[in-house]
Amino acid sequence: MEIKEQVRTVLKDVFTDNSQEGILSIYVYGSITGPDFIEGLSDIDSIALVENRTDQALEKQLIANLKERAPLIQNFGIRLLYVSEFQTLQKKSVLTSFIPPEALLLDF
């Protein structure tokens, strides 16, 4: 299976298995979405848009889940992004500690 299809399948499964935890959607971003992606070298970045009630500990669980489901995919990561971060522009997640929420609005 092609790596992009494998990533899609794994993320769909992660979404299905964790939607009760407040995951609204999952997006991939970065080089995997374009021609600059180099299998085995490039990171595979994803964002889970989550409800405000979602526990931040879910991020570590999701990362572990990705490693378990796709052990051969290197550098496969996921970060949480809270709906409230778009509404208030106040930082809550690890992701917005290094990317301001207002900068992420352009991507969504």
Side-chain angles (χ1 to χ4, degrees):
M1 178 184 308
E2 180 186 329
I3 191 163
K4 289 182 181 184
E5 183 59 33
Q6 188 177 4
V7 166
R8 184 179 300 115
T9 299
V10 168
L11 290 176
K12 282 182 183 180
D13 290 345
V14 166
F15 173 78
T16 300
D17 293 349
N18 295 281
S19 60
Q20 73 280 0
E21 300 296 328
I23 296 178
L24 301 170
S25 57
I26 297 178
Y27 301 92
V28 293
Y29 69 101
S31 62
I32 194 168
T33 64
D36 296 333
F37 180 73
I38 301 170
E39 188 172 338
L41 293 178
S42 297
D43 291 351
I44 299 172
D45 303 308
S46 57
I47 295 174
L49 184 62
V50 298
E51 296 174 1
N52 299 331
R53 68 175 175 86
T54 302
D55 189 327
Q56 290 180 338
L58 179 64
E59 186 172 280
K60 287 183 182 181
Q61 294 171 1
L62 295 177
I63 292 168
N65 198 275
L66 292 177
K67 288 180 182 183
E68 180 182 311
R69 290 175 183 266
L72 299 178
I73 298 178
Q74 299 296 313
N75 304 314
F76 193 178
I78 191 165
R79 294 289 183 188
L80 301 184
L81 180 62
Y82 290 86
V83 170
S84 65
E85 292 178 293
F86 285 135
Q87 296 166 334
T88 66
L89 300 182
Q90 292 186 356
K91 300 173 183 181
K92 181 176 180 180
S93 65
V94 173
L95 179 63
T96 57
S97 69
F98 54 91
I99 301 174
E102 54 271 25
L104 291 167
L105 280 171
L106 299 173
D107 292 328
F108 291 89

